Amino acid sequence: MATSQEAKKLGVKSGELINGSAAPGSPPNVNGRHASLPEPISKSAENARNVPLSAKPDAFHSLDGDGMVLNARNDRSTPRSPRGILDRKLSSPMMPAFMTSAPGKVIVFGEHAVVHGKAAMAASISLRSYLLVTALSKSRRTITLRFPDISLDHTWHIDDLPWSTFAHPSKKKFYYDLVTSLDPDLVEAMQPHITTVSRKVPLEARKIHQAAASCFLYLFLSLGSQAFPGCIYTLRSTLPIGAGLGSSASVSVCISSALLLQIRTLAGPHPDQPRKESEMQIERINRWAFVGEMCIHGNPSGVDNTVAAYGKAVIFKREDYGKPPHVQSIRNFPELPLLLVNTRHARSTAVEVAKVGALKSTQPVVTGLILEAIDKITESAHELLSAPGFDKSDHDSLKVIGELLNFNHGLLVSLGVSHPRLERIREMVDTVGCGWTKLTGAGGGGCAITLLRPGAKAEELKDLENRLEAENFERFETTLGGDGVGVLWPAVLKNGTDEEGGEEIDQDKFLNAKGRDGVERLVGVGGHHNREGWKFWR
């Protein structure tokens, strides 16, 4: 396994390294432990990480224990030495277009209590972001970031970017490094290339565009190199932006995974991949996605990008803000039908958090008991949902979860963080009788989640849909607890078209997909869409 020192001796940088393993470090506390990333569990697993994507037509070949290349049918072919693989150049033929995708998230239990050192449960939802990466000809030395959902389209010349600053020995980060803060010198070096983004659009939109550009460019300059090929990076999202659903983290995970794939430092995903090896790839993506989140939010908690990378659900707890949070992945979290409703009422997380802080100052005993009760609800839900015998189709089992949702919401109301629009959603759901509802996130507006009852009648759901639409609520039928980061390499799907070998997803098709429904129909995964071609680290 190539350590930092060995990599430097070989003259290998992040943008040039061919699938090495992670050097020892101190990753975020995932699954309840502080530890270095796991060592390869077998020689074949280590060799698999050393195969460049250019050697794999479907991007997911591996090596066996003798250094023999295995194709998708496990046929043995030409032996390759690890040194020979490391000596391969970054590019041969033009890279095929490929895609990455990552989910949004909701807080299921524990919001606001988590600010005061208690646990919260967050889970993925099947609303996702999608990134299409298209290589340009060698003569085109540009990178373009397109995000049509927010009207962002900007191009940089690769050779004009501040590579010398990012590649300086005192600044250079390797793909396996743990980055816990942004380097002010690197941020400053980027600024001339960020301030040119969307200069003529209104201030609020410009801030959003430049935050997204900062996330992309910091990761691109940290992980890439000046020898990188010209590419177009096109983002589409089915997530409402600014609704507390982790849209920025979803985008950060897409960008992180795409760049790590381009520099050939990810193994898999493939069905036979050992769990420890799969988790190492996810954590590598997660670390760099957190760096992207820092570019956007300054001091993020890390929970959004962790859920977007790992999928399913996590228990998140931060008792000391001077130390990393405790994050425990719930890998057996069941997929549950969820109705997500956006109030369309703008809210401020800072304002709602300040409300609870003020209440804790004036009513410390009562507020402390409420926060403690919310913590016990989160703990009870975790025990129930993690139990091997939990049956998501059983009405009585889901009823217990629903009752905990009701309890949690009632306690949040007592803390003063609900809103009349949120209460109206609860009232309509209760009137129809199709599920259990609570606010999610900071409250004061934003979104509500409804866990649907098993066997809810179609006419009941249609009645609720009509009621919500009549009062200008935005409604999404989604799934709770699905997959995390996924890869479509190459960008070809079985979409029921007449195209031989499947439908190739190109820039025109992706850009012309109309709205969220169009994106879901074209490339969607999760929920009702389970298309052949997408692969996930599990």
Side-chain angles (χ1 to χ4, degrees):
M1 184 170 71
T3 65
S4 175
Q5 290 78 18
E6 290 168 343
K8 289 174 181 176
K9 286 179 182 178
L10 290 170
V12 178
K13 299 178 181 178
S14 291
E16 301 166 350
L17 192 59
I18 308 295
N19 296 14
S21 303
S26 177
N29 189 350
V30 177
N31 292 329
R33 64 187 186 275
H34 287 282
S36 58
L37 292 173
E39 295 287 332
I41 63 173
S42 67
K43 179 66 176 176
S44 64
E46 182 174 7
N47 283 340
R49 278 190 290 278
N50 285 330
V51 184
L53 291 182
S54 58
K56 320 175 210 179
D58 65 354
F60 304 119
H61 287 58
S62 60
L63 289 174
D64 70 8
D66 299 320
M68 302 292 291
V69 175
L70 297 178
N71 62 22
R73 299 181 304 277
N74 290 332
D75 298 327
R76 293 165 68 91
S77 58
T78 310
R80 300 248 182 109
S81 71
R83 177 72 199 189
I85 293 169
L86 281 170
D87 287 339
R88 284 183 67 106
K89 293 182 179 179
L90 179 62
S91 64
S92 326
M94 187 180 292
M95 174 190 73
F98 72 96
M99 297 188 73
T100 59
S101 176
K105 72 92 181 62
V106 293
I107 303 294
V108 188
F109 296 100
E111 46 269 275
H112 285 287
V114 71
V115 178
H116 300 275
K118 310 299 182 185
M121 180 188 293
S124 64
I125 54 177
S126 55
L127 301 177
R128 304 175 67 95
S129 296
Y130 299 88
L131 174 63
L132 174 64
V133 182
T134 307
L136 301 175
S137 63
K138 289 184 179 181
S139 62
R140 296 179 64 183
R141 300 287 298 148
T142 61
I143 51 167
T144 297
L145 178 63
R146 290 177 176 168
F147 198 166
D149 302 319
I150 60 172
S151 302
L152 170 61
D153 190 333
H154 191 81
T155 297
W156 295 272
H157 289 275
I158 294 175
D159 297 326
D160 292 343
L161 295 173
W163 295 109
S164 59
T165 304
F166 275 77
H168 191 276
S170 66
K171 303 293 183 183
K172 181 62 185 173
K173 298 297 181 184
F174 293 86
Y175 73 94
Y176 45 72
D177 285 331
L178 173 62
V179 180
T180 58
S181 62
L182 300 180
D183 187 314
D185 294 334
L186 300 184
V187 173
E188 183 180 355
M190 273 198 331
Q191 287 314 297
H193 307 277
I194 298 299
T195 55
T196 59
V197 175
S198 303
R199 281 187 295 192
K200 296 182 180 180
V201 306
L203 179 60
E204 287 306 309
R206 192 189 320 147
K207 287 180 179 177
I208 294 171
H209 290 189
Q210 292 186 355
S214 294
C215 166
F216 170 77
L217 207 55
Y218 197 99
L219 295 187
F220 182 82
L221 288 164
S222 296
L223 292 170
S225 75
Q226 196 167 351
F228 233 60
C231 287
I232 300 172
Y233 297 83
T234 304
L235 281 156
R236 298 295 305 270
S237 184
T238 62
L239 285 157
I241 294 170
L245 301 177
S247 58
S248 67
S250 174
V251 166
S252 294
V253 168
C254 286
I255 294 171
S256 167
S257 55
L259 292 172
L260 288 166
L261 281 167
Q262 283 189 271
I263 63 171
R264 307 167 186 168
T265 55
L266 295 176
H270 56 81
D272 299 325
Q273 193 164 24
R275 169 64 64 84
K276 286 185 178 180
E277 182 182 289
S278 180
E279 288 184 350
M280 184 171 72
Q281 313 311 307
I282 299 172
E283 186 52 33
R284 189 170 290 167
I285 294 166
N286 188 34
R287 285 181 173 191
W288 284 101
F290 180 72
V291 176
E293 280 282 86
M294 285 192 288
C295 293
I296 297 171
H297 297 295
N299 185 30
S301 67
V303 65
D304 287 13
N305 52 276
T306 300
V307 174
Y310 281 84
K312 291 297 183 179
V314 300
I315 293 291
F316 182 89
K317 190 172 185 178
R318 193 168 202 164
E319 297 176 283
D320 183 350
Y321 275 76
K323 297 178 181 178
H326 175 98
V327 182
Q328 180 182 357
S329 181
I330 310 174
R331 302 305 297 158
N332 60 341
F333 190 91
E335 293 190 14
L336 299 170
L338 192 76
L339 182 67
L340 176 70
V341 181
N342 186 2
T343 64
R344 299 185 192 266
H345 181 81
R347 88 284 183 272
S348 166
T349 298
V351 168
E352 301 306 317
V353 168
K355 280 184 187 177
V356 179
L359 196 62
K360 192 177 180 184
S361 296
T362 58
Q363 300 285 351
V365 175
V366 175
T367 305
L369 289 172
I370 292 172
L371 296 174
E372 190 67 33
I374 292 175
D375 191 45
K376 294 300 181 185
I377 289 169
T378 304
E379 184 180 309
S380 297
H382 182 201
E383 290 178 1
L384 180 61
L385 290 165
S386 301
F390 179 79
D391 183 359
K392 67 179 182 180
S393 64
D394 178 62
H395 180 274
D396 291 338
S397 295
L398 278 191
K399 183 180 178 182
V400 176
I401 297 297
E403 289 170 345
L404 292 173
L405 289 170
N406 285 341
F407 288 152
N408 197 164
H409 181 84
L411 292 169
L412 290 169
V413 171
S414 69
L415 291 173
V417 296
S418 189
H419 183 272
R421 294 276 286 174
L422 290 165
E423 296 308 310
R424 181 61 179 143
I425 296 168
R426 277 179 51 82
E427 181 184 347
M428 285 192 278
V429 172
D430 288 347
T431 298
V432 173
C434 60
W436 302 271
T437 301
K438 70 175 279 291
L439 69 83
T440 182
C447 293
I449 55 173
T450 297
L451 178 63
L452 296 173
R453 295 180 188 273
K457 296 179 180 178
E459 55 267 28
E460 292 176 342
L461 295 175
K462 185 61 179 177
D463 183 18
L464 179 60
E465 179 182 348
N466 293 337
R467 290 168 182 258
L468 292 167
E469 185 177 341
E471 298 191 26
N472 196 34
F473 290 102
E474 189 177 26
R475 170 186 160 279
F476 304 90
E477 285 187 28
T478 184
T479 302
L480 191 69
D483 283 311
V485 60
V487 180
L488 179 65
W489 183 300
V492 177
L493 281 171
K494 304 288 186 181
N495 276 349
T497 68
D498 295 330
E499 293 185 41
E500 185 177 353
E503 181 178 10
E504 182 179 347
I505 310 302
D506 59 23
Q507 287 287 328
D508 287 341
K509 289 179 182 176
F510 196 45
L511 286 169
N512 292 327
K514 292 185 178 179
R516 296 186 181 98
D517 290 343
V519 173
E520 289 284 3
R521 282 193 297 271
L522 182 66
V523 297
V525 294
H528 304 298
H529 304 281
N530 290 299
R531 290 192 172 95
E532 181 183 343
W534 282 103
K535 294 181 173 64
F536 301 89
W537 287 277
R538 291 174 171 145

